[in-house]
Amino acid sequence: VQLQASGGGLVQAGDSLRLSCKASERTIVPYVMGWFRQAPGKEREFVATISRGGTVRDYADFVKGRFTISRENAKNTVHLQMNNLKAEDTAVYYCAAKQGVTGQTIKSINRYDVWGRGTQVTVSS
């Protein structure tokens, strides 16, 4: 499977953005999906993950209550709805995939073996 993230942009603090991750060449049904981000000078970090069927979701503490991950398996797409954006959310956002089992979510960056090209999110304060 190949992944392509989109939807980034330049917004003001308090605004919202919706990122999408479109998969090609293969269905995402067997895959646990995740979103990660990398700010300038920092390591890539976990943001959110969703199980194969979309019933289990997990988030980094710093986005709980503001971000929502979802998936549309029929469209081979995963979304990240980001509300109440803050300047510290500025980063390149990446989606990732790893084949998993029902109900599984994955936070560890090292366990993902498929990565998409990122999309830049810039939040001005």
Side-chain angles (χ1 to χ4, degrees):
V1 64
Q2 292 191 345
L3 306 174
Q4 178 64 58
S6 63
L10 172 63
V11 298
Q12 294 186 334
D15 285 351
S16 298
L17 274 177
R18 188 190 196 205
L19 305 184
S20 295
C21 175
K22 176 71 174 177
S24 60
E25 297 189 358
R26 193 173 296 183
T27 175
I28 63 170
V29 169
Y31 293 87
V32 176
M33 302 297 294
W35 283 98
F36 292 78
R37 70 186 188 185
Q38 187 166 16
K42 296 186 177 181
E43 294 191 352
R44 195 170 299 187
E45 62 181 356
F46 165 74
V47 175
T49 177
I50 188 167
S51 63
R52 301 191 327 178
T55 56
V56 183
R57 310 172 190 187
D58 208 351
Y59 299 91
D61 287 343
F62 53 77
V63 302
K64 284 182 179 177
R66 299 190 298 125
F67 292 10
T68 301
I69 188 172
S70 62
R71 64 191 291 162
E72 297 181 83
N73 284 347
K75 296 183 179 180
N76 281 337
T77 303
V78 179
H79 302 288
L80 185 68
Q81 176 67 41
M82 306 187 295
N83 298 329
N84 191 22
L85 283 161
K86 305 176 181 180
E88 50 264 42
D89 295 319
T90 294
V92 177
Y93 284 71
Y94 299 89
C95 58
K98 170 68 177 177
Q99 290 200 26
V101 299
T102 301
Q104 181 184 20
T105 56
I106 302 173
K107 294 183 179 181
S108 173
I109 188 173
N110 295 321
R111 295 185 60 189
Y112 285 90
D113 49 18
V114 181
W115 290 87
R117 299 177 68 177
T119 184
Q120 175 71 46
V121 173
T122 304
V123 185
S124 63
S125 57

